Each structure stands twice: as C-alpha cells, then as structure tokens.
Amino acid sequence: MKTIASLRQEIDQVHKELHALLLRRRELTMAVWEIKKQEGQPFFNAAREEQILHDFLNMDGKQGQDPQFDELLKGVMSSVLREYEKYLKFHYDK
C-alpha cells in the first residue's frame, strides 16, 4: 500500500518533469517566434491557439468523459498560453 509520503514523492517528480517540459516549450516557442520575426509573420495566431487547445483536450481520447476535468485542462493550457504570450511578447518586442 502506498503512503502519503510516497505519493507526495511521486507528485514532486511530476513537478520536476513539468518544469523541464515547460522549459523545453519555452525554447521551442522562442525559436518559432524568432522565425516569425525574421519572416515578418504576425505575433499571434488565433487559429493555431484554438488548434492547440483542441488537440490538448483530445490527447487521451477521453474528452467528454469527465467534463469538469476537461474544463480544468482547458483552463490550465489557456493559462500556459497566456503566460507564455506575455513572456514572449516581452522578448519578441525587443
């Protein structure tokens, strides 16, 4: 039987993995936006953002089975997108 302590250790490991993934996402996003800047493409692409949200919600093939969790996932990814946008606009506009 797992203990609270062992489960918390697993959660801490997930946090480490999330941190690493968010850093990697930042690197990739900055690379994309640097290309956009060089090519004179618009900073924001609403269609791409909608596609990201749609794909994110459908990754496990279980969308709609737990609508409250779907909303949680949508909120998390929307927040990630907004925060990255703010961060990258700061760097992009230099």
Side-chain angles (χ1 to χ4, degrees):
M1 184 169 124
K2 293 196 176 203
T3 64
I4 290 174
S6 68
L7 291 169
R8 286 182 175 160
Q9 285 179 335
E10 288 185 51
I11 290 169
D12 291 344
Q13 182 59 39
V14 169
H15 292 162
K16 288 177 186 176
E17 293 169 17
L18 281 169
H19 186 266
L21 290 170
L22 289 170
L23 289 173
R24 179 68 178 136
R25 189 182 193 286
R26 178 187 65 180
E27 292 169 8
L28 294 167
T29 304
M30 288 183 85
V32 166
W33 285 11
E34 186 59 38
I35 293 169
K36 283 182 163 189
K37 186 176 181 181
Q38 292 171 4
E39 294 180 355
Q41 293 186 33
F43 179 78
F44 180 75
N45 182 334
R48 171 68 177 143
E49 185 166 310
E50 284 300 316
Q51 188 65 49
I52 289 169
L53 288 172
H54 177 268
D55 292 349
F56 189 74
L57 290 176
N58 289 292
M59 284 186 171
D60 65 359
K62 296 180 181 179
Q63 185 181 13
Q65 292 181 9
D66 186 344
Q68 290 172 321
F69 192 69
D70 289 348
E71 283 301 310
L72 180 144
L73 288 176
K74 185 177 180 180
V76 166
M77 184 50 87
S78 292
S79 178
V80 166
L81 293 171
R82 290 291 76 69
E83 293 304 317
Y84 271 86
E85 183 179 354
K86 286 191 294 187
Y87 173 81
L88 293 169
K89 273 185 179 179
F90 175 79
H91 292 284
Y92 188 78
D93 289 338
K94 287 185 177 184

